[in-house]
Amino acid sequence: MERSEVLKQFKPDHENMLNILHALQNNNSQNYLSEEDLKIAASYLNTTYSHIYGVATYYTMFSLKPRGKYIIRVCNSPVCNMENSTKVIEEIKKNLSIEVGETTDDMRFTLELSECLGKCEEAPGMMINEDVVGNLDNVDFKSIFDNYN
Ligand code: FES
């Protein structure tokens, strides 16, 4: 979708800034906010590039560098941590051959850490884009990741 089409869904109010940035990021095939995205958001909201840049860099949900088609967010909050999220992170790193914050060479997966996903009863857990996947002790990560092409 053209950026202008994305913007049209929102009134050009500052209170819509986060929603606009979210929509632009979701519209970007590489799951990030490009310089062009930030510029067009600034222009639409009649504010400065540096203001938009400051907002985009403040929130961890926004990325200013290209990411994979699927974002894996492993919960690293206390309950998941007590249920061994550290081991989960290590296994995913090994399985995908990337570190936290990195993207696989085929641009399929990016690995990130997250705060509580609201599914503590299924700790340790993660999200793959919008899907919550819990009870990750002793799972076969390869078979999970094979579902995401
Ligand atoms: S602490 Fe991990 S889902 Fe709540």
Side-chain angles (χ1 to χ4, degrees):
M1 190 189 293
E2 291 291 321
R3 289 186 180 93
S4 56
E5 293 293 313
V6 174
L7 293 174
K8 263 198 241 161
Q9 302 169 53
F10 305 94
K11 283 188 183 160
D13 292 339
H14 276 228
E15 65 185 28
N16 287 330
M17 187 182 294
L18 294 182
N19 288 332
I20 287 171
L21 292 177
H22 263 300
L24 288 169
Q25 180 169 270
N26 289 340
N27 187 57
N28 186 313
S29 61
Q30 292 183 303
N31 254 322
Y32 81 114
L33 288 166
S34 67
E35 191 177 328
E36 200 50 41
D37 288 324
L38 298 182
K39 278 183 186 163
I40 198 169
S43 162
Y44 190 66
L45 293 170
N46 197 24
T47 187
T48 61
Y49 178 85
S50 61
H51 182 201
I52 293 284
Y53 180 88
V55 171
T57 51
Y58 178 79
Y59 291 99
T60 56
M61 60 212 177
F62 298 125
S63 176
L64 297 187
K65 61 179 188 186
R67 293 185 294 179
K69 183 177 176 188
Y70 301 106
I71 314 290
I72 301 168
R73 296 182 175 92
V74 181
C75 177
N76 202 27
S77 283
V79 176
C80 285
N81 210 265
M82 282 187 310
E83 295 295 330
N84 229 346
S85 59
T86 309
K87 183 174 159 236
V88 168
I89 295 161
E90 289 307 314
E91 287 194 21
I92 294 174
K93 281 163 58 175
K94 203 164 61 181
N95 195 285
L96 297 177
S97 301
I98 54 173
E99 296 294 318
V100 172
E102 292 183 350
T103 300
T104 54
D105 289 341
D106 61 2
M107 297 301 288
R108 208 164 129 225
F109 295 106
T110 295
L111 177 60
E112 298 181 351
L113 301 183
S114 124
E115 298 301 318
C116 178
L117 303 170
K119 287 277 189 180
C120 308
E121 68 280 5
E122 294 176 26
M126 66 179 174
M127 285 185 83
I128 302 179
N129 286 1
E130 304 306 316
D131 301 339
V132 178
V133 189
N135 300 313
L136 293 175
D137 2 9
N138 302 319
V139 298
D140 176 6
F141 285 101
K142 186 178 179 318
S143 67
I144 294 175
F145 297 150
D146 281 350
N147 294 322
Y148 295 87
N149 295 304

